Short mmCIF file of all heavy atoms in Angstrom, two decimals:
data_model
loop_
_atom_site.label_atom_id
_atom_site.label_comp_id
_atom_site.label_asym_id
_atom_site.label_seq_id
_atom_site.Cartn_x
_atom_site.Cartn_y
_atom_site.Cartn_z
N SER A 2 0.52 2.25 -0.83
CA SER A 2 1.32 3.46 -0.94
C SER A 2 1.24 4.27 0.35
O SER A 2 0.20 4.36 1.00
CB SER A 2 0.83 4.32 -2.11
OG SER A 2 1.50 5.55 -2.14
N THR A 3 2.37 4.87 0.75
CA THR A 3 2.41 5.76 1.91
C THR A 3 2.36 7.21 1.50
O THR A 3 2.48 8.09 2.34
CB THR A 3 3.68 5.51 2.72
OG1 THR A 3 4.83 5.75 1.89
CG2 THR A 3 3.73 4.08 3.25
N ALA A 4 2.18 7.48 0.21
CA ALA A 4 2.11 8.85 -0.27
C ALA A 4 0.87 9.55 0.29
O ALA A 4 -0.19 8.95 0.45
CB ALA A 4 2.07 8.88 -1.80
N ALA A 5 1.03 10.83 0.60
CA ALA A 5 -0.11 11.61 1.10
C ALA A 5 -1.15 11.75 0.00
O ALA A 5 -0.83 11.82 -1.20
CB ALA A 5 0.37 12.99 1.56
N ARG A 6 -2.43 11.82 0.41
CA ARG A 6 -3.55 11.93 -0.52
C ARG A 6 -4.04 13.37 -0.56
O ARG A 6 -4.28 13.97 0.50
CB ARG A 6 -4.70 11.01 -0.09
CG ARG A 6 -4.34 9.53 -0.10
CD ARG A 6 -5.42 8.71 0.60
NE ARG A 6 -5.11 7.30 0.56
CZ ARG A 6 -5.62 6.44 -0.33
NH1 ARG A 6 -6.49 6.87 -1.23
NH2 ARG A 6 -5.28 5.17 -0.31
N VAL A 7 -4.19 13.91 -1.77
CA VAL A 7 -4.63 15.29 -1.93
C VAL A 7 -5.86 15.33 -2.84
O VAL A 7 -5.82 14.82 -3.96
CB VAL A 7 -3.52 16.18 -2.53
CG1 VAL A 7 -4.01 17.62 -2.67
CG2 VAL A 7 -2.26 16.14 -1.65
N LEU A 8 -6.93 15.92 -2.35
CA LEU A 8 -8.16 16.12 -3.12
C LEU A 8 -8.18 17.56 -3.61
O LEU A 8 -8.08 18.49 -2.80
CB LEU A 8 -9.38 15.82 -2.26
CG LEU A 8 -10.75 16.10 -2.89
CD1 LEU A 8 -10.99 15.23 -4.11
CD2 LEU A 8 -11.86 15.91 -1.85
N VAL A 9 -8.29 17.75 -4.92
CA VAL A 9 -8.34 19.09 -5.52
C VAL A 9 -9.76 19.35 -6.00
O VAL A 9 -10.30 18.57 -6.79
CB VAL A 9 -7.36 19.22 -6.70
CG1 VAL A 9 -7.45 20.61 -7.34
CG2 VAL A 9 -5.93 18.93 -6.25
N ILE A 10 -10.37 20.44 -5.53
CA ILE A 10 -11.70 20.83 -5.98
C ILE A 10 -11.59 22.17 -6.67
O ILE A 10 -11.39 23.21 -6.04
CB ILE A 10 -12.70 20.90 -4.81
CG1 ILE A 10 -12.72 19.57 -4.06
CG2 ILE A 10 -14.10 21.24 -5.32
CD1 ILE A 10 -13.64 19.56 -2.85
N GLU A 11 -11.67 22.15 -8.00
CA GLU A 11 -11.43 23.33 -8.84
C GLU A 11 -12.29 23.20 -10.09
O GLU A 11 -12.20 22.21 -10.82
CB GLU A 11 -9.94 23.41 -9.20
CG GLU A 11 -9.58 24.36 -10.32
CD GLU A 11 -9.94 25.79 -10.01
OE1 GLU A 11 -9.35 26.37 -9.07
OE2 GLU A 11 -10.82 26.33 -10.73
N ASP A 12 -13.14 24.21 -10.36
CA ASP A 12 -14.06 24.10 -11.49
C ASP A 12 -13.44 24.48 -12.82
O ASP A 12 -13.97 24.13 -13.87
CB ASP A 12 -15.32 24.93 -11.23
CG ASP A 12 -15.03 26.42 -11.11
OD1 ASP A 12 -13.96 26.79 -10.60
OD2 ASP A 12 -15.88 27.23 -11.53
N ALA A 13 -12.32 25.21 -12.83
CA ALA A 13 -11.64 25.53 -14.07
C ALA A 13 -10.82 24.31 -14.50
O ALA A 13 -9.85 23.96 -13.83
CB ALA A 13 -10.75 26.75 -13.90
N GLU A 14 -11.22 23.67 -15.60
CA GLU A 14 -10.62 22.40 -15.98
C GLU A 14 -9.11 22.49 -16.17
O GLU A 14 -8.36 21.62 -15.71
CB GLU A 14 -11.26 21.89 -17.27
CG GLU A 14 -10.78 20.52 -17.71
CD GLU A 14 -11.50 20.01 -18.94
OE1 GLU A 14 -12.46 20.66 -19.38
OE2 GLU A 14 -11.09 18.95 -19.46
N ALA A 15 -8.64 23.55 -16.84
CA ALA A 15 -7.20 23.68 -17.11
C ALA A 15 -6.42 23.84 -15.82
O ALA A 15 -5.35 23.24 -15.65
CB ALA A 15 -6.95 24.86 -18.04
N ILE A 16 -6.95 24.64 -14.88
CA ILE A 16 -6.25 24.84 -13.62
C ILE A 16 -6.25 23.56 -12.81
O ILE A 16 -5.23 23.15 -12.24
CB ILE A 16 -6.89 25.99 -12.82
CG1 ILE A 16 -6.72 27.31 -13.56
CG2 ILE A 16 -6.28 26.08 -11.43
CD1 ILE A 16 -7.41 28.48 -12.90
N GLY A 17 -7.39 22.89 -12.76
CA GLY A 17 -7.46 21.63 -12.01
C GLY A 17 -6.49 20.60 -12.54
O GLY A 17 -5.81 19.91 -11.77
N ALA A 18 -6.40 20.51 -13.88
CA ALA A 18 -5.48 19.54 -14.50
C ALA A 18 -4.03 19.89 -14.19
O ALA A 18 -3.21 19.01 -13.89
CB ALA A 18 -5.71 19.48 -16.01
N ALA A 19 -3.69 21.17 -14.25
CA ALA A 19 -2.31 21.59 -14.00
C ALA A 19 -1.93 21.36 -12.54
O ALA A 19 -0.83 20.87 -12.24
CB ALA A 19 -2.14 23.07 -14.35
N VAL A 20 -2.83 21.69 -11.62
CA VAL A 20 -2.55 21.49 -10.20
C VAL A 20 -2.42 20.00 -9.90
O VAL A 20 -1.50 19.56 -9.20
CB VAL A 20 -3.65 22.12 -9.33
CG1 VAL A 20 -3.51 21.70 -7.88
CG2 VAL A 20 -3.62 23.63 -9.45
N GLY A 21 -3.33 19.20 -10.46
CA GLY A 21 -3.26 17.75 -10.25
C GLY A 21 -1.97 17.16 -10.76
O GLY A 21 -1.34 16.34 -10.08
N SER A 22 -1.55 17.58 -11.94
CA SER A 22 -0.31 17.07 -12.53
C SER A 22 0.90 17.46 -11.69
O SER A 22 1.80 16.63 -11.44
CB SER A 22 -0.15 17.60 -13.96
OG SER A 22 1.05 17.16 -14.54
N ALA A 23 0.94 18.72 -11.23
CA ALA A 23 2.08 19.18 -10.43
C ALA A 23 2.16 18.42 -9.11
O ALA A 23 3.26 18.05 -8.66
CB ALA A 23 1.97 20.68 -10.18
N LEU A 24 1.02 18.16 -8.49
CA LEU A 24 1.02 17.44 -7.21
C LEU A 24 1.40 15.97 -7.41
O LEU A 24 2.10 15.38 -6.59
CB LEU A 24 -0.34 17.56 -6.54
CG LEU A 24 -0.69 18.95 -6.01
CD1 LEU A 24 -2.15 19.02 -5.61
CD2 LEU A 24 0.20 19.31 -4.83
N ARG A 25 0.95 15.37 -8.51
CA ARG A 25 1.36 13.98 -8.79
C ARG A 25 2.86 13.91 -9.04
O ARG A 25 3.52 12.96 -8.59
CB ARG A 25 0.59 13.45 -10.01
CG ARG A 25 -0.89 13.21 -9.74
CD ARG A 25 -1.59 12.55 -10.91
NE ARG A 25 -3.02 12.50 -10.70
CZ ARG A 25 -3.88 13.36 -11.20
NH1 ARG A 25 -3.45 14.34 -12.00
NH2 ARG A 25 -5.17 13.26 -10.95
N ASP A 26 3.39 14.90 -9.76
CA ASP A 26 4.83 14.93 -10.01
C ASP A 26 5.61 15.06 -8.70
O ASP A 26 6.76 14.62 -8.61
CB ASP A 26 5.20 16.10 -10.93
CG ASP A 26 4.84 15.82 -12.38
OD1 ASP A 26 4.58 14.65 -12.72
OD2 ASP A 26 4.83 16.78 -13.17
N ALA A 27 4.98 15.67 -7.69
CA ALA A 27 5.63 15.81 -6.39
C ALA A 27 5.49 14.56 -5.53
O ALA A 27 5.99 14.52 -4.40
CB ALA A 27 5.06 17.01 -5.64
N GLY A 28 4.81 13.54 -6.07
CA GLY A 28 4.74 12.27 -5.37
C GLY A 28 3.48 12.00 -4.59
O GLY A 28 3.39 11.01 -3.87
N TYR A 29 2.45 12.86 -4.75
CA TYR A 29 1.20 12.68 -4.01
C TYR A 29 0.18 11.89 -4.82
O TYR A 29 0.21 11.89 -6.05
CB TYR A 29 0.61 14.04 -3.64
CG TYR A 29 1.52 14.88 -2.77
CD1 TYR A 29 1.99 16.11 -3.20
CD2 TYR A 29 1.93 14.41 -1.53
CE1 TYR A 29 2.85 16.87 -2.41
CE2 TYR A 29 2.79 15.16 -0.73
CZ TYR A 29 3.24 16.38 -1.18
OH TYR A 29 4.09 17.12 -0.39
N LEU A 30 -0.73 11.23 -4.11
CA LEU A 30 -1.89 10.62 -4.74
C LEU A 30 -2.96 11.69 -4.83
O LEU A 30 -3.31 12.32 -3.83
CB LEU A 30 -2.40 9.44 -3.90
CG LEU A 30 -1.46 8.25 -3.75
CD1 LEU A 30 -2.06 7.22 -2.82
CD2 LEU A 30 -1.16 7.62 -5.10
N VAL A 31 -3.51 11.91 -6.04
CA VAL A 31 -4.36 13.07 -6.26
C VAL A 31 -5.67 12.68 -6.94
O VAL A 31 -5.69 11.84 -7.85
CB VAL A 31 -3.64 14.11 -7.16
CG1 VAL A 31 -4.51 15.35 -7.36
CG2 VAL A 31 -2.30 14.51 -6.55
N ARG A 32 -6.75 13.30 -6.49
CA ARG A 32 -8.02 13.27 -7.21
C ARG A 32 -8.45 14.70 -7.45
O ARG A 32 -8.31 15.55 -6.57
CB ARG A 32 -9.10 12.54 -6.40
CG ARG A 32 -8.97 11.03 -6.40
CD ARG A 32 -10.19 10.38 -5.79
NE ARG A 32 -10.01 8.94 -5.64
CZ ARG A 32 -10.89 8.13 -5.09
NH1 ARG A 32 -12.04 8.63 -4.63
NH2 ARG A 32 -10.65 6.84 -4.98
N VAL A 33 -8.98 14.96 -8.65
CA VAL A 33 -9.44 16.30 -9.01
C VAL A 33 -10.94 16.24 -9.27
O VAL A 33 -11.41 15.38 -10.04
CB VAL A 33 -8.70 16.83 -10.26
CG1 VAL A 33 -9.20 18.24 -10.61
CG2 VAL A 33 -7.19 16.84 -10.03
N ARG A 34 -11.69 17.15 -8.65
CA ARG A 34 -13.13 17.22 -8.83
C ARG A 34 -13.52 18.65 -9.20
O ARG A 34 -12.93 19.61 -8.71
CB ARG A 34 -13.86 16.82 -7.54
CG ARG A 34 -13.64 15.36 -7.15
CD ARG A 34 -14.36 14.43 -8.14
NE ARG A 34 -14.19 13.03 -7.80
CZ ARG A 34 -13.24 12.25 -8.31
NH1 ARG A 34 -12.36 12.76 -9.17
NH2 ARG A 34 -13.16 10.97 -7.97
N PRO A 35 -14.54 18.82 -10.09
CA PRO A 35 -14.92 20.16 -10.54
C PRO A 35 -15.83 20.91 -9.59
O PRO A 35 -16.07 22.11 -9.78
CB PRO A 35 -15.64 19.88 -11.86
CG PRO A 35 -16.26 18.53 -11.66
CD PRO A 35 -15.27 17.77 -10.82
N ASP A 36 -16.39 20.24 -8.58
CA ASP A 36 -17.30 20.91 -7.64
C ASP A 36 -17.38 20.08 -6.36
O ASP A 36 -16.73 19.03 -6.25
CB ASP A 36 -18.69 21.11 -8.25
CG ASP A 36 -19.29 19.80 -8.75
OD1 ASP A 36 -19.28 18.80 -7.99
OD2 ASP A 36 -19.76 19.76 -9.91
#
Side-chain angles (χ1 to χ4, degrees):
S2 174
T3 59
R6 297 168 178 262
V7 180
L8 175 63
V9 178
I10 305 178
E11 166 61 65
D12 64 325
E14 184 176 353
I16 295 176
V20 170
S22 178
L24 290 169
R25 290 186 187 98
D26 284 345
Y29 300 119
L30 296 176
V31 182
R32 284 189 187 177
V33 180
R34 295 291 180 266
D36 54 50

